[in-house]
Structures are given as structure tokens and as C-alpha cells.
Amino acid sequence: MATDMRPPLIDYHALVSGGRVHGSLYRDPQVYQRELDQVWHKVWVYLCHESELPLPGDFLRRQIGTQPVLVVRGEDNAIRVFFNRCRHRGNLLCNREHGNADSFRCPYHAWTYAKDGALLEPTFEEGYDNNLSRADFSLTPVPRQDAYRGLIFASVSPAGPSLREHLGQVTEFIDLFMDVSPSGEIDLNSGVQKLRYHGNWKLLPENSLEGDYHGPFIHRFAFEMHSRRTGLNLSSLYENQVPDVIRSLPGGHMVEDYRGASMTPPQRALTPARQAYLAALEARCGKEKARQLTSTTPPLVFVFPNLIYIMTHIRRFQPISVNETYVYYHPMLFKGAPAEINEARLREHEFGFGPAGFISPDDIEIMERNQIGVQARGNDWQHIARGLHRVREMPGGGTAGYTMDENHLRGMWQHYARLMSGQSDGDVQ
Amino acid sequence: MSSDAPAAPSVDAVAAFLYREARLIDEHRYQEWLALWESSDTLYWVPCNEDDIDPRRHVSIIYDDHDRLEQRVERLMSGSVLAQQPLPKMRRIVSNIEPEQVAPDLISVRSNFILATARAGRQELWAGQAVHRLRLRDGSHRIVAKKVLLNNSDQEIPLLQFLI
């Protein structure tokens, strides 16, 4: 196991134990620098879904920590992740955010690479005499890449647990939200809302997965409006006695599992499109499973460190500095569903999310104020001890708590502390 | 030109309408702004990523039919929008107004805007082009559709918790 043998200057466990988190973890630039090395440049980072690259030659840019990468679908249909850097002089190879290309030509000296990363044409090759072997100058693949149900992850560290080990139990919950698609496959290729906020990246998963507690306060108006419009019963959001809703999973993942809650999905009119959708779902997974899937609200899921699923979309995020973060909202459509169903999903997404939505902007504003609040250093701790007295240790690892409990936040921070202390290279103890 | 060809719209009249609309939204006079619209079959649209997307297959930043538009206004007036506490100070410049008659009672107007919003210690600049479809009814214009093409609709933008 590759670990950092130097003693850490900061005792990270002390900063996240006893149901509290120290304010420095949100504001200290040195902590942020260490996060890049110990978290972002080490663990599996979510990049994209394969549906965003449907055709050979489709490509998109992403970033892992500070490092630009290029995701490309090759002629052989394989999706590869390369460092987005020309092997010649280190220029950014691909400048476009996304598109389709036959090959990738560096604008600086026109070295050109194939979709599989092979160097096709180093210009004025004769000048290199025999000191240049094309085969030695292919694009550099990121050390590790893997996928789960089309979700593509990569790690810039050569060592560490496999993706399956990293995901562990969270795959059960990824399955739950994807299985609602009649084909079992999702489509993330309908554009992306992009947003920036002045706040630390860790505020986003914390806020995104504890909406049961803050929802009645900052989202009351939007929830009631949504309820009025769709008939969605949100009463369980105002209850806090439903057990096993809040889940912390090994690996720092967090889940709000609503299967035991009274909150049911909105009653939707049985239009021909809805009937076709339900028929396809039943044909794929059987009547009973289809009934279960459509009568419970899918979970909210956070896959450490940067993938969130909420209601209508996959959300990913990118830290820019200790106090700035980019957020990307990718609406999740159902592959193979009637167009009308997916169109309605887009409109439902726009209701809540993105820069002009009615729900998540209130979270973003709260996070910006949170970042200002933690600059005050008197009593420099955040309190995340809700449910500490009644937390349930789960047989397979992780914990379960009641609606509004904060055991999942504590779990994420424990995992974070292990990574930051150099005690873990991402394994899921 | 046939005899029933519509007369060229008056830039002055259209400009006066756009200036008034800009003043109402900059001053957070939401109900008066809503009253500028036709009461049904309207579209308030801010595309995302690109200007010419198919909204049935591609997400927008805003895609409001009249019901959703009313909800947007209701929410802005509710006092619950945290990014409106305190209210942003806003002023926009509207320029480059180019009206075009598209039907006897309908004009399409392109205009450019620069909007400065100031709130919570920061001033932010927004720029782009608006395309209004206006119907002339009872001697005044009503908004049928407004499409706002943000220059930065494909960039990581701050919250857009006001009318654009």
C-alpha cells in the first residue's frame, strides 16, 4: 500500500472526531494543497457517463484535481482517458470542451495523435534522426480507469483499490436510481448547467445529502410549490423518526435511502407515454420490481469524492481553490423512454436546479455564507453530532441513522481524515 | 411588395417598450413585469450551452411556460429567495435594437444588453442578446416570447436568481 510515511503536520482525525469538524478544513490553503495530493490525485474521481460520448471520435475534457484530462471514444468503441498534454512540449492538446474529432493535432508544432492516443505525425520528423520512436510518444493514459454502469472513473495514482472496491456498497444505490430507466440505462447527453460558487468543495456533498434537515427551512417555498404542482407527498421531510434513511457507507459515500420512508413519488397521469414507459419497465424487470421502483423515491447518493445523484440529475463538481468550486448539473434522462417522458424530466430538472432553479440556488447561497461564517475562529467547530446517540452500525460496515441525522457526514469526514493522514490510499475500511 | 405587407415597425416605440421592461425588472417590480406578457402560450427561455438547442432534448437555464413564469415571479416575491437577501442592485443598458415584422400583429426584436448586478460585496456583469416576440394588441405591446442568449451560457456562472 503506497502511503505517505511523513508524519502529517496536522492531526486530521482530531479535527473531525467527536461529532464535530474544524473550521480550518474549509478555509486553510495548506489543507487544500494536501487535499489535491491525498484525495484528488489519489482516489477514483468521477469523470463522465459513456452516453456523453456516443460515437467514435467523440471527446470531452475533464479535470482530475489540477490535471486536465481528455476522454475519447476510439474507432474500436473503447473509451480512453489521457492526460490532455502534448508529449512534445507539454501544450494543452485539446482546447475544445467537447466535440468529435478524427485525430488530435497540437496547435503548437502540429504533432498529431490518433483517437487511441498513438502518435501519428511528429512534424519534421527527419530532424530527430533516430532519437524519436513514435511508439514511445503516444498520449499518456491516466494510470487507472474503470467504469460502473457507464459511469467512468479515473485515478491519476497507479496504486490503490479497484473501482469496485472503492464503490463497495454504493453500487446497490446506483443500481436503484438507474433501474428506474425502462432500459436500465441512463442518458446524460442532454447538456449541462454550469455554476460556480465561492466556497469550499466539501460544503457541496455535505449540503447536497442533508436536505432532510435543512429542506424545511431553506426550501420550504419551493417544496410546497413542487408539491402543489405534482402531488408529491413531502411529509416525511418534516418527520425525523424514520430509521435507516441516512446511510454512511465505507469509502466515504453517503446515501439518503427513502425505501423505508413514507415519501412516495409524484402520482403521474397515465398518459400513453407513461403507459409505454411502465410497460417497458415491467418487461425488463418484472411487475413486482417495477412496482417497487415506481412506488418509492430513489435514493440520494454521494460517491466520494465528486459524484452526486439527486432526483433529476447527476451532479459533479470540481474544486478550483480552497474557496471556489465549479458545479455541473447533468440532467439524467432514460435511454429508450418515450421522448415525452424525457422532455418532462428536463422541465422538472429546470424547476429545481441550475443557476436559475427554485431549489439548489438557495443551497449555493447558503454555502457561500457558510464559507464566510467559518472565517470566524471563535469556537472554531461545526457540530455534526445529530443522532450520535442512536447510530446503528451496519453489518457490512458503515452506519445508519434516522432522517435528519448526521451519521453520513461523520462517515465522510472519517474517510477524509484517513486519506489526509496518509493512512489510506483510498481503501474502504 | 404586396398591398397587405406589414408596415415596418417603429424602432422608437419598440425601444420605449424594452426600456420600460428593463426598468421594471431592474427595480424588482415583478407583477408589473408579468403584466407585460400575454396571459398564456408564452415562453421565457434562457438556453444553456448553445443558443440554438432543441429544448425538448437539451437542458436550458430557464425554460418557463406561463405557469412556470408565474411560479418564478411568485417565488421572487415570496421573500424566501436567499440570493435576493438583500435585493441585488441592478441596472442594464439595452441597445442595438433591431425590430422585424414577422406577422401583421407580431414583431421580433433583437437587442443587446449589459447588466450589472451588485450584491453581497460583489458586482457581476452579464451580457448577451435578447430576442423578444411582441404582439401589438389594443395599441400596446405584449410579450409572447423572450429568449435570452447569454454570452456565458456555456461557462460556470454565478447564481441567476433575478429576471434577465
Side-chain angles (χ1 to χ4, degrees):
Chain A
M1 196 165 79
T3 52
D4 184 349
M5 300 311 285
R6 292 168 300 175
L9 299 171
I10 297 171
D11 180 353
Y12 286 95
H13 285 289
L15 296 182
V16 302
S17 56
R20 56 187 203 169
V21 181
H22 195 259
S24 61
L25 299 180
Y26 300 89
R27 63 166 187 255
D28 184 341
Q30 283 183 307
V31 168
Y32 178 73
Q33 283 305 313
R34 189 167 174 88
E35 285 171 356
L36 291 175
D37 292 337
Q38 297 295 110
V39 180
W40 293 93
H41 293 161
K42 196 159 277 187
V43 306
W44 289 100
V45 173
Y46 170 66
L47 298 182
C48 62
H49 186 263
E50 64 182 15
S51 60
E52 294 174 76
L53 306 136
L55 301 172
D58 283 350
F59 66 87
L60 48 83
R61 284 179 58 187
R62 288 291 187 263
Q63 200 169 303
I64 300 176
T66 58
Q67 307 189 40
V69 300
L70 181 63
V71 188
V72 192
R73 190 185 281 273
E75 282 304 328
D76 57 357
N77 244 350
I79 293 175
R80 297 176 177 84
V81 187
F82 303 106
F83 290 105
N84 189 2
R85 172 190 165 132
C86 180
R87 290 294 309 279
H88 177 211
R89 296 270 291 277
N91 201 53
L92 180 69
L93 177 67
C94 177
N95 186 45
R96 287 167 62 198
E97 281 297 317
H98 60 90
N100 184 279
D102 281 335
S103 59
F104 296 91
R105 176 177 295 246
C106 178
Y108 199 1
H109 306 91
W111 284 33
T112 303
Y113 302 87
K115 292 186 275 285
D116 65 1
L119 176 61
L120 293 173
E121 190 186 353
T123 44
F124 303 109
E125 190 173 13
E126 68 283 1
Y128 291 100
D129 196 5
N130 290 322
N131 65 20
L132 179 77
S133 161
R134 288 188 187 196
D136 294 338
F137 286 87
S138 300
L139 289 180
T140 309
V142 295
R144 292 183 298 156
Q145 76 169 83
D146 201 352
Y148 181 75
R149 289 192 74 159
L151 299 167
I152 297 167
F153 297 79
S155 168
V156 296
S157 166
S162 69
L163 178 64
R164 289 307 177 98
E165 288 168 328
H166 166 67
L167 295 176
Q169 297 176 32
V170 83
T171 55
E172 178 189 350
F173 299 96
I174 295 174
D175 290 348
L176 274 177
F177 74 72
M178 285 198 186
D179 283 346
V180 183
S181 168
S183 62
E185 291 182 51
I186 62 167
D187 178 356
L188 251 48
N189 203 21
S190 58
V192 51
Q193 297 164 323
K194 306 177 179 181
L195 184 141
R196 69 200 304 167
Y197 70 87
H198 294 273
N200 188 268
W201 63 271
K202 300 184 292 300
L203 294 168
L204 189 74
E206 283 194 304
N207 168 277
S208 298
L209 271 284
E210 66 92 19
D212 289 326
Y213 196 175
H214 73 241
F217 304 104
I218 70 172
H219 302 312
R220 178 181 287 272
F221 190 84
F223 283 0
E224 287 175 358
M225 194 177 257
H226 190 264
S227 223
R228 226 188 304 151
R229 205 168 51 90
T230 64
L232 175 60
N233 174 9
L234 291 164
S235 57
S236 76
L237 286 179
Y238 303 90
E239 300 166 2
N240 59 25
Q241 296 303 321
V242 184
D244 297 345
V245 168
I246 301 297
R247 296 287 306 275
S248 166
L249 305 181
H253 315 305
M254 301 190 282
V255 174
E256 291 183 52
D257 179 3
Y258 292 119
R259 283 175 296 182
S262 59
M263 186 166 65
T264 53
Q267 294 302 306
R268 299 181 193 279
L270 211 54
T271 60
R274 177 79 183 160
Q275 281 174 323
Y277 160 78
L278 290 172
L281 192 65
E282 282 177 12
R284 195 190 90 245
C285 59
K287 219 174 173 67
E288 178 53 23
K289 177 88 187 290
R291 193 196 59 77
Q292 281 173 12
L293 287 169
T294 52
S295 63
T296 53
T297 297
L300 272 52
V301 179
F302 167 63
V303 179
F304 190 92
N306 73 325
L307 166 65
I308 293 169
Y309 164 76
I310 293 185
M311 293 166 70
T312 60
H313 64 283
I314 299 269
R315 188 183 298 183
R316 66 185 170 87
F317 56 91
Q318 174 66 51
I320 300 302
S321 72
V322 69
N323 54 17
E324 186 169 23
T325 306
Y326 288 173
V327 192
Y328 302 90
Y329 303 84
H330 297 260
M332 189 183 91
L333 304 187
F334 297 151
K335 194 171 173 183
E340 191 182 320
I341 298 277
N342 281 330
E343 189 179 345
R345 286 186 66 82
L346 286 174
R347 299 293 90 86
E348 191 167 325
H349 174 79
E350 290 150 357
F351 174 90
F353 304 102
F358 297 170
I359 301 174
S360 60
D362 290 314
D363 296 302
I364 297 292
E365 174 69 17
I366 282 290
M367 290 188 279
E368 295 201 337
R369 296 186 193 186
N370 221 152
Q371 189 70 21
I372 298 168
V374 298
Q375 307 301 318
R377 303 190 187 189
N379 226 335
D380 203 359
W381 296 93
Q382 303 212 36
H383 193 61
I384 52 167
R386 190 173 166 77
L388 196 57
H389 61 295
R390 60 183 176 189
V391 69
R392 191 154 87 89
E393 300 290 335
M394 298 301 275
T399 61
Y402 287 68
T403 322
M404 298 190 193
D405 282 355
E406 292 165 333
N407 53 297
H408 57 340
L409 304 183
R410 296 192 292 274
M412 181 188 81
W413 281 108
Q414 291 299 322
H415 183 70
Y416 170 89
R418 291 178 63 239
L419 290 168
M420 291 293 278
S421 305
Q423 294 166 316
S424 160
D425 51 8
D427 64 74
V428 294
Q429 288 179 25
Chain B
M1 192 182 279
S2 67
S3 59
D4 60 351
S10 150
V11 175
D12 285 350
V14 169
F17 179 84
L18 295 182
Y19 296 160
R20 176 169 148 73
E21 191 216 353
R23 183 156 44 82
L24 293 179
I25 52 185
D26 285 350
E27 295 176 359
H28 309 286
R29 293 158 66 181
Y30 306 119
Q31 284 289 13
E32 289 172 79
W33 179 73
L34 193 57
L36 298 178
W37 287 73
E38 290 280 31
S39 55
S40 62
D41 295 324
T42 60
L43 178 64
Y44 177 45
W45 184 18
V46 182
C48 191
N49 307 124
E50 292 170 49
D51 295 345
D52 293 315
I53 55 168
D54 177 354
R56 293 167 305 174
R57 302 171 48 87
H58 191 110
V59 71
S60 295
I61 295 171
I62 294 174
Y63 193 82
D64 289 356
D65 60 11
H66 203 270
D67 283 350
R68 183 73 59 87
L69 184 68
E70 285 178 355
Q71 289 178 330
R72 186 172 298 279
V73 166
E74 185 187 345
R75 177 171 173 271
L76 285 170
M77 293 178 65
S78 69
S80 72
V81 179
L82 292 173
Q84 290 244 331
Q85 300 172 6
L87 277 176
K89 188 98 174 157
M90 317 203 321
R91 286 296 172 196
R92 77 194 67 198
I93 306 290
V94 175
S95 182
N96 303 57
I97 298 168
E98 295 181 82
E100 180 190 353
Q101 197 86 36
V102 293
D105 65 340
L106 206 60
I107 56 174
S108 172
V109 192
R110 278 184 301 195
S111 63
N112 293 352
F113 69 91
I114 294 180
L115 163 66
T117 66
R119 189 189 153 269
R122 279 195 296 273
Q123 174 158 288
E124 280 155 6
L125 279 183
W126 299 77
Q129 183 176 68
V131 184
H132 287 76
R133 281 177 94 80
L134 304 176
R135 181 170 292 137
L136 194 60
R137 197 149 61 76
D138 307 328
S140 62
H141 291 106
R142 297 293 189 92
I143 305 172
V144 178
K146 180 178 183 182
K147 183 179 180 185
V148 181
L149 311 174
L150 291 175
N151 279 357
N152 55 359
S153 78
D154 195 37
Q155 294 180 356
E156 294 82 2
I157 58 177
L159 290 179
L160 206 167
Q161 291 287 285
F162 45 82
L163 299 171
I164 187 86

